[in-house]
């Protein structure tokens, strides 16, 4: 690893969440850096987030002239991604469209979403100060380097500020833990960078479900018939997440500290028998153990690689141990894809 930053050195909320969800998936993404086709839902989310970032781009002094001009950019970008062409100046993995996936459906859904977003947010584009979008922030907690780019830092009235996270999907049964972890990450980064940002006091954290007419819940979008009837969105329209406490920051610090030690221990093969790491598992097997769950069917792109990895272990003691854990976990999992939306 000479000349390269080891994968345990710097942590983001997505990197930490990945390790919490499945250590083997973490290995594929952050250690092996495998490039595999991505699921259509994930590609759609990436594309929409890029358009939302472009909406507030400082390079566009007056923003997009109309909702139509904004959605035309979306059409071009999505079509480029579907054809596996360079998009937003980047090379993305090819998209894996499964049985129920239809590129045209995503195209229409994205157009409706972004048109609604345009009318509900155009006032924030025309007013000053503008929102800060996806600005990289850096800090340290418990001696571990962390970084993150909140989707939107929104100035409010009276010197107050909100951090808004966009969602292009909504689960009926939400595990709020990961949202609280994500916002604890962003809040800590904001608070330790406030002197550089020169923004107001952090008073609100909110989830913005851009797939919906009502950004708090899932309501399928319909074509907008009268834009004049659409009022600008307010912070009260969004799904609020409680502000983190000192306890949340302490938990975050412990998590990244343990995550760093766990990954370093496995990769440097410093195994300690019966050594358990908080939330991640143990290092007795000497490898990153797969954790089967809802993520396997919903958004993991590494199912084939995971199966090959498990088969490669054969009937070794490590293989039997890991397979036993997987079988025990699978017994407790009931995958209900109907509970999850785009």
């Amino acid at each position: 690893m000479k000349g390269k930053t080891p994968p345990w050195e710097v942590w983001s909320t997505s990197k930490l969440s990945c390790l919490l969800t499945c250590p083997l998936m973490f290995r594929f993404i952050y250690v092996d850096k495998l490039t595999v086709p991505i699921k259509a839902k994930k590609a759609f989310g990436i594309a929409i987030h890029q358009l939302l970032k472009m909406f507030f781009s400082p390079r566009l002094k007056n923003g997009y002239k109309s909702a139509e001009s904004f959605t035309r950019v979306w059409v071009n970008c999505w079509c480029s991604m579907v054809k596996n062409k360079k998009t937003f100046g980047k090379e993305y993995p090819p998209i894996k469209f499964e049985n129920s996936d239809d590129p045209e459906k995503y195209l229409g859904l994205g157009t409706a979403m972004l048109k609604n977003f345009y009318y509900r947010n155009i006032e924030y584009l025309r007013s000053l100060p503008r929102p800060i979008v996806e600005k990289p922030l850096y800090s340290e907690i418990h001696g571990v380097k962390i970084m993150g780019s909140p989707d939107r830092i929104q100035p409010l009235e009276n010197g107050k500020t909100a951090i808004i996270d966009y969602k292009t999907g909504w689960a009926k049964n939400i595990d709020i833990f990961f949202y609280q972890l994500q916002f604890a990450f962003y809040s800590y980064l904001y608070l330790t960078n406030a002197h550089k940002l020169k923004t107001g006091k952090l008073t609100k954290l909110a989830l913005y479900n851009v797939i919906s007419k009502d950004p708090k819940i899932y309501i399928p979008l319909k074509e907008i018939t009268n834009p004049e009837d659409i009022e600008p969105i307010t912070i009260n329209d969004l799904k609020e997440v409680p502000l983190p406490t000192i306890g949340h920051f302490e938990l975050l610090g412990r998590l990244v500290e343990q995550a760093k030690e766990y990954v370093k221990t496995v990769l440097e093969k410093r195994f300690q028998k019966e050594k358990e790491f908080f939330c991640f598992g143990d290092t007795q097997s000497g490898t990153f153990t797969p954790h089967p769950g809802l993520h396997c069917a919903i958004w993991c792109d590494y199912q084939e690689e995971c199966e090959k990895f498990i088969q490669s272990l054969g009937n070794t003691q490590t293989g039997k141990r890991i397979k036993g854990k997987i079988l025990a976990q699978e017994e407790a999992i009931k995958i209900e894809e109907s509970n999850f939306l785009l």
Side-chain angles (χ1 to χ4, degrees):
M1 293 185 185
K2 290 182 179 179
K4 294 183 179 180
T5 302
W8 59 76
E9 282 297 328
V10 184
W11 291 85
S12 65
T13 180
S14 55
K15 190 174 181 179
L16 181 60
S17 296
C18 181
L19 185 63
L20 283 165
T21 301
C22 179
L24 183 59
M25 181 167 61
F26 173 90
R27 176 194 138 180
F28 290 148
I29 297 173
Y30 295 101
V31 180
D32 298 338
K33 299 186 184 299
L34 295 183
T35 299
V36 297
I38 57 176
K39 292 189 176 184
K41 292 177 183 178
K42 184 181 288 187
F44 178 76
I46 291 170
I48 290 293
H49 271 78
Q50 285 294 331
L51 264 292
L52 299 181
K53 178 182 178 181
M54 290 168 65
F55 182 80
F56 289 111
S57 172
R59 290 182 297 175
L60 298 172
K61 186 175 181 180
N62 298 313
Y64 292 92
K65 293 181 179 179
S66 66
E68 287 68 30
S69 64
F70 184 45
T71 54
R72 275 198 298 272
V73 177
W74 155 250
V75 171
N76 292 333
C77 291
W78 178 245
C79 290
S80 294
M81 284 192 77
V82 169
K83 294 175 182 177
N84 199 26
K85 293 182 178 179
K86 184 178 269 191
T87 313
F88 311 116
K90 292 178 63 176
E91 297 279 358
Y92 287 97
I95 302 173
K96 180 169 60 178
F97 289 99
E98 297 173 332
N99 297 333
S100 59
D101 291 327
D102 179 2
E104 291 293 326
K105 179 189 76 173
Y106 286 105
L107 183 66
L109 179 61
T111 300
M113 288 170 61
L114 293 169
K115 189 177 286 189
N116 184 69
F117 184 89
Y118 179 92
Y119 289 121
R120 299 210 70 185
N121 290 270
I122 190 64
E123 289 301 317
Y124 293 102
L125 189 61
R126 294 168 177 164
S127 61
L128 295 174
R130 278 190 181 185
I132 300 171
V133 292
E134 295 195 24
K135 180 178 178 61
L137 302 175
Y138 303 88
S139 189
E140 283 192 12
I141 188 168
H142 281 218
V144 181
K145 295 176 183 178
I146 61 172
M147 64 166 294
S149 304
D151 285 340
R152 179 169 167 181
I153 298 173
Q154 178 64 57
L156 303 174
E157 295 179 350
N158 302 319
K160 298 177 181 178
T161 303
I163 293 178
I164 297 172
D165 190 66
Y166 297 131
K167 296 300 173 189
T168 54
W170 211 259
K172 293 177 183 176
N173 300 316
I174 298 174
D175 183 355
I176 201 67
F177 170 76
F178 282 104
Y179 293 144
Q180 289 179 327
L181 174 65
Q182 182 180 35
F183 277 118
F185 227 101
Y186 289 155
S187 298
Y188 188 87
L189 286 167
Y190 179 87
L191 293 171
T192 53
N193 284 273
H195 61 292
K196 298 177 184 177
L197 295 170
K198 298 180 180 179
T199 46
K201 181 181 179 181
L202 181 62
T203 58
K204 295 280 186 179
L205 303 172
L207 296 164
Y208 185 164
N209 186 13
V210 293
I211 202 171
S212 173
K213 291 187 298 182
D214 182 340
K216 285 185 181 179
I217 58 175
Y218 177 82
I219 300 176
L221 284 161
K222 295 181 180 178
E223 187 65 26
I224 296 166
T225 55
N226 189 1
E228 294 180 359
D229 292 338
I230 300 177
E231 297 181 357
I233 199 161
T234 70
I235 193 68
N236 294 326
D237 294 328
L238 306 179
K239 186 177 182 64
E240 198 168 338
V241 174
L243 287 166
T245 64
I246 296 296
H248 286 102
F249 291 143
E250 180 60 28
L251 174 60
L252 174 61
R254 287 175 58 210
L255 278 172
V256 293
E257 194 175 21
Q258 288 275 302
K260 178 179 179 178
E261 186 184 355
Y262 172 76
V263 173
K264 190 174 183 180
T265 298
V266 173
L267 291 179
E268 292 190 341
K269 303 188 184 305
R270 297 184 295 106
F271 309 132
Q272 301 175 45
K273 196 171 183 180
E274 303 299 336
K275 173 77 173 181
E276 283 283 342
F277 282 86
F278 180 58
C279 290
F280 310 120
D282 62 58
T283 56
Q284 189 176 351
S285 60
T287 188
F288 294 103
T289 308
H291 288 179
L294 285 171
H295 57 276
C296 298
I298 304 301
W299 52 268
C300 179
D301 298 312
Y302 299 89
Q303 289 164 306
E304 290 183 14
E305 287 71 22
C306 184
E307 290 173 7
K308 289 177 184 176
F309 169 79
I310 294 169
Q311 289 174 3
S312 71
L313 297 174
N315 290 320
T316 62
Q317 186 175 354
T318 298
K320 289 177 181 178
R321 187 168 181 271
I322 290 178
K323 288 174 187 176
K325 280 192 171 186
I326 291 172
L327 288 173
Q329 287 170 316
E330 285 178 340
E331 286 296 319
I333 294 169
K334 293 181 180 178
I335 296 177
E336 299 177 0
E337 283 201 74
S338 60
N339 280 342
F340 284 79
L341 306 163
L342 277 174

